[in-house]
Amino acid sequence: MEIQEERKPKSLLKKTVLYFKKNGAKKGFKKIHNKFFRLETVSYEKWQKGAFPSAHEQERQRREASAWNEETLKKPAEERARLYPCFSIVVPMYHTPPEYLAALISSVRAQTYENWELCLADGSETPCSAYGDSTGGDERIRYQFLEGNRGIAGNTNAALSMAKGDFVVLADHDDLLSPDALYCLARAVRAQETADVLYSDEDKTDAKGKKYYDPHFKPDFNEDLLRSLNYICHLLAVRRSLAAAVGGFRADYDGAQDYDFVFRCTEAARDIVHIPRILYHWRCHGASTAENPDSKRYAFEAGKRALEDHYARLGIKACVVHGLKPGMYTTQYTRPRDPLVSVIIPNKDHTADLDRTIRSVMACTSYSNLEWVIVENNSTCPETFSYYEALSREFANVRVITWEKEFNYAAINNFGAAHASGEYLWLLNNDLEMITDDCVDGLLNPCMRPEIGIVGARLYYGDDTVQHAGVIVGLGGVAGHAFVGQPRFDCGYMAKDRCTQRLSAVTAACLMIRRSVFEEIGGFSEELAVAFNDVDLCLKAGRAGYGVLYNAQVEAYHYESKTRGLEDTPEKVARFNGEMDLFKEKWQRKLQAGDPYYNINLTLARNDFTLRNPYEIDYEQRVK
């Protein structure tokens, strides 16, 4: 046998040189930066250094925007509007502090994209003294003194009537635009010519406009989240023809006039584009809603009416109530009939857990058109079968069917579905305890909406911490639950934990699906015996055009892994890794694209919605 010489470990310098040779300078420097400047837990103040556009980047944007102008000078007006759109920034004014208006104007004049106009409509008793001193003679800035306050909606409509651009951009009189705001909007319009509504991420700034904090990184358009709260807010741009078609702003909704306007615009829009960048700074001071929600309590009642009108226009029968915090709303949908719901529960022994699951459901609902399908899976305790017999005698709507093969969660639930008679299938683990009244209504009623295929719930561990608040695709490299370990009564990042919303997936531990959808997508993929089969099911439903809804108002305890045990043996670990690789291969494009209901600026390393290292994200990817 040839004896090889022991290899000496390469020095750090040699490793670095080899990496540069193999991967190039760009990736090499990025790797060094990520190693020494990891920002997973960094403050937002430090995060901004890598995320906000540098002076060099701003100059590059100016050159690119200038090139857009040159290439479209001789093109027809319609094509120029698409390739080099004009943005009308409309601002209603009332008792505007001069220094705030000056700062707003300065932020508009600093834009790297120059095809804009600023339309100011002032409903104050006297003209604002800061206007003339701040414009620098820029003819793109126009000011109209209204000689009387017309209210928020009226003042905004006056500013709208001044607009001549292709898109109107809404801004408050005391806020600030990021210097790349209009550039990013223009770039998005160039990429998506049917974009009628565009919105961005935002943060807050202090009264002096110097410190930025509390960033709001938003998902792509999520109508059900919008029905829970106005997450779109700023920066909002709407095609001017659409704004005119929906009738502008309505005085009956003053205080929530933007919420009402967003609903009417998104209902009619061809495409709604989200730009995952901080393009707007919402100034906080004592009188602002951002700093003091109670300063505009009337606004929340107006928001409730705006949401009710939204449902009325769409012909959706629903009751709207105020949510946990001001500006949050809960929708209770009305179902047209009472279809049969089949509750499918796989079980192996653990009859006490199973009994608690069944009886907790019965205690939490008055819905009677249920059938229970218990899928017996290789139980060994004689008491288990005695319990089945007693349960079947006690309740006529309980059936026990037997799965005689080895454990395969996906196959077992397919087997249960094949033996169920219901129009809706309610998948439950045998270690849950429902704690929400009318739990069936909370799952079934939204599941009966034709555009919704699957509805999931909010689950807790026994210690009152979150076990499941929806699934984020890509979390941990594959998929993971949001907000795991968060205290039960917290609201999570931007209240998303407590908001009903569309998501890419929910857990099958408590999941309702319409049978027709289940059959159309082929049920569970049985090659995913234990891991990620519920995420796969939801992604298949989404691919088929059906929404997956997380209903935060349906709550249960989930005493996870009591029956099956943990993934703590070499065999189980190997199987889990194999199924993980299978899932990643199957949904490779989805993983690469990113979860549309999350945000590229948030970390995939943890489930608490903290910041992602901005140096991990290519600029080109961020502006898409």
Side-chain angles (χ1 to χ4, degrees):
M1 177 185 298
E2 182 179 354
I3 300 177
Q4 294 184 349
E5 292 183 0
E6 181 179 350
R7 292 184 177 179
K8 295 181 180 180
K10 293 185 178 71
S11 68
L12 178 60
L13 178 59
K14 287 185 177 180
K15 287 182 178 179
T16 303
V17 171
L18 288 173
Y19 189 91
F20 269 68
K21 285 183 176 180
K22 182 178 180 181
N23 298 283
K26 184 177 180 180
K27 287 188 176 180
F29 283 115
K30 180 179 285 190
K31 185 177 181 68
I32 291 173
H33 192 285
N34 290 347
K35 183 173 182 61
F36 293 101
F37 298 93
R38 293 192 182 279
L39 304 181
E40 288 293 353
T41 58
V42 80
S43 68
Y44 182 54
E45 183 178 2
K46 291 184 179 179
W47 183 89
Q48 295 164 27
K49 295 178 182 179
F52 285 8
S54 64
H56 176 76
E57 169 57 24
Q58 290 180 47
E59 184 56 35
R60 188 202 65 79
Q61 291 177 6
R62 288 189 177 92
R63 291 195 302 270
E64 184 176 12
S66 179
W68 296 342
N69 181 27
E70 290 294 327
E71 73 174 282
T72 60
L73 283 175
K74 297 182 180 180
K75 291 185 180 294
E78 184 176 338
E79 192 169 356
R80 181 170 169 82
R82 179 178 70 82
L83 297 175
Y84 191 63
C86 179
F87 295 100
S88 299
I89 305 163
V90 298
V91 181
M93 295 173 56
Y94 182 70
H95 291 174
T96 307
E99 65 273 19
Y100 290 172
L101 179 62
L104 169 63
I105 292 175
S106 178
S107 75
V108 174
R109 295 185 66 199
Q111 291 298 302
T112 59
Y113 183 85
E114 295 189 345
N115 196 12
W116 55 263
E117 63 177 4
L118 177 59
C119 305
L120 305 167
D122 192 351
S124 306
E125 290 83 358
T126 57
C128 182
S129 60
Y131 166 68
D133 298 334
S134 304
T135 63
D138 195 324
E139 296 181 354
R140 294 172 297 178
I141 303 175
R142 302 204 304 280
Y143 174 87
Q144 181 181 2
F145 180 60
L146 301 180
E147 300 182 350
N149 183 23
R150 303 179 185 178
I152 304 173
N155 293 348
T156 306
N157 283 335
L160 273 174
S161 68
M162 301 164 63
K164 299 178 182 178
D166 304 298
F167 287 83
V168 294
V169 179
L170 304 180
D172 290 343
H173 64 173
D174 52 357
D175 295 340
L176 302 170
L177 273 63
S178 168
D180 59 338
L182 300 184
Y183 165 83
C184 288
L185 289 175
R187 184 180 174 117
V189 172
R190 286 171 60 90
Q192 177 63 291
E193 62 180 293
T194 54
D196 287 332
V197 175
L198 304 96
Y199 66 96
S200 75
D201 300 338
E202 63 186 295
D203 65 9
K204 296 176 183 175
T205 186
D206 60 5
K208 295 182 179 180
K210 300 297 184 182
K211 181 180 179 181
Y212 305 113
Y213 63 99
D214 203 11
H216 185 182
F217 294 110
K218 308 167 187 178
D220 289 351
F221 183 61
N222 189 328
E223 187 173 40
D224 284 283
L225 179 59
L226 184 61
R227 291 167 175 170
S228 295
L229 79 172
N230 183 9
Y231 81 93
I232 288 180
C233 209
H234 299 297
L235 183 66
L236 175 66
V238 178
R239 194 175 294 273
R240 185 164 64 92
S241 58
L242 175 60
V246 302
F249 290 81
R250 302 195 290 184
D252 290 345
Y253 301 89
D254 268 357
Q257 73 290 335
D258 51 348
Y259 197 29
D260 170 62
F261 182 70
V262 165
F263 274 126
R264 288 182 286 121
C265 289
T266 54
E267 288 165 20
R270 291 171 297 174
D271 281 299
I272 303 164
V273 175
H274 166 230
I275 302 171
R277 297 200 68 187
I278 300 288
L279 301 184
Y280 194 90
H281 308 295
W282 190 5
R283 191 188 298 268
C284 293
H285 50 87
S288 71
T289 309
E291 185 71 18
N292 179 19
D294 289 329
S295 66
K296 294 185 178 178
R297 178 65 59 178
Y298 70 94
F300 308 127
E301 286 297 330
K304 179 174 178 288
R305 288 187 281 108
L307 179 53
E308 290 169 340
D309 274 11
H310 162 70
Y311 286 130
R313 287 191 297 272
L314 297 181
I316 297 174
K317 294 183 178 180
C319 175
V320 178
V321 298
H322 289 286
L324 290 172
K325 290 186 174 183
M328 292 175 62
Y329 306 96
T330 298
T331 298
Q332 300 164 346
Y333 292 95
T334 302
R335 63 174 176 270
R337 54 193 176 82
D338 294 347
L340 177 63
V341 175
S342 297
V343 188
I344 301 172
I345 308 180
N347 185 68
K348 179 179 180 181
D349 296 317
H350 289 266
T351 55
D353 294 326
L354 175 61
D355 192 67
R356 178 178 55 204
T357 299
I358 294 172
R359 295 186 188 279
S360 71
V361 171
M362 293 179 174
C364 288
T365 186
S366 58
Y367 194 83
S368 59
N369 199 13
L370 296 174
E371 71 163 1
W372 297 82
V373 180
I374 313 300
V375 186
E376 156 55 30
N377 167 41
N378 298 315
S379 294
T380 58
C381 299
E383 295 81 5
T384 299
F385 300 94
S386 299
Y387 169 78
Y388 291 154
E389 293 178 5
L391 189 67
S392 298
R393 288 195 299 269
E394 184 178 1
F395 301 107
N397 60 344
V398 172
R399 287 188 294 128
V400 179
I401 59 177
T402 302
W403 172 263
E404 296 180 342
K405 301 177 184 179
E406 63 182 7
F407 180 81
N408 180 317
Y409 182 85
I412 288 172
N413 276 285
N414 286 343
F415 180 70
H419 286 78
S421 304
E423 186 180 345
Y424 290 81
L425 308 176
W426 184 8
L427 310 181
L428 277 181
N429 279 17
N430 67 346
D431 53 355
L432 272 90
E433 181 179 1
M434 301 303 301
I435 55 177
T436 302
D437 289 339
D438 298 321
C439 58
V440 174
D441 292 13
L443 296 171
L444 176 61
N445 294 13
C447 202
M448 294 183 74
R449 290 165 47 189
E451 73 275 16
I452 297 296
I454 292 174
V455 180
R458 190 171 190 249
L459 306 180
Y460 311 113
Y461 291 114
D463 63 356
D464 277 324
T465 59
V466 171
Q467 188 266 333
H468 170 267
V471 173
I472 300 167
V473 175
L475 195 66
V478 188
H481 292 187
F483 301 114
V484 172
Q486 175 184 282
R488 172 182 172 183
F489 296 103
D490 283 3
C491 288
Y493 178 73
M494 295 297 168
K496 286 184 172 59
D497 185 1
R498 305 304 291 268
C499 288
T500 295
Q501 60 194 283
R502 297 278 187 97
L503 291 176
S504 290
V506 292
T507 179
C510 180
L511 177 157
M512 187 172 289
I513 182 170
R514 192 156 61 249
R515 171 186 285 279
S516 60
V517 174
F518 188 84
E519 293 176 348
E520 179 182 342
I521 64 178
F524 284 97
S525 300
E526 296 185 8
E527 65 272 20
L528 297 171
V530 176
F532 307 111
N533 43 54
D534 48 1
V535 184
D536 175 79
L537 181 79
C538 292
L539 293 182
K540 289 196 296 183
R543 185 172 59 190
Y546 300 101
V548 176
L549 191 71
Y550 161 66
N551 189 347
Q553 278 63 57
V554 179
E555 301 171 285
Y557 285 110
H558 183 199
Y559 306 103
E560 190 180 35
S561 301
K562 270 196 167 187
T563 303
R564 185 174 54 83
L566 301 172
E567 302 289 333
D568 56 359
T569 66
E571 293 79 13
K572 288 183 177 180
V573 170
R575 185 204 60 235
F576 176 86
N577 288 336
E579 293 181 6
M580 178 174 65
D581 291 341
L582 184 62
F583 178 90
K584 290 168 71 174
E585 180 181 357
K586 182 176 182 179
W587 296 103
Q588 182 180 6
R589 290 186 179 180
K590 183 76 174 179
L591 290 167
Q592 290 175 344
D595 194 325
Y597 300 112
Y598 196 49
N599 188 294
I600 195 173
N601 295 288
L602 299 174
T603 183
L604 291 172
R606 294 195 304 277
N607 53 26
D608 55 1
F609 286 67
T610 47
L611 297 175
R612 183 179 182 184
N613 182 342
Y615 296 101
E616 294 178 353
I617 310 169
D618 289 338
Y619 177 78
E620 291 296 317
Q621 190 176 10
R622 276 188 280 163
V623 298
K624 285 181 180 179

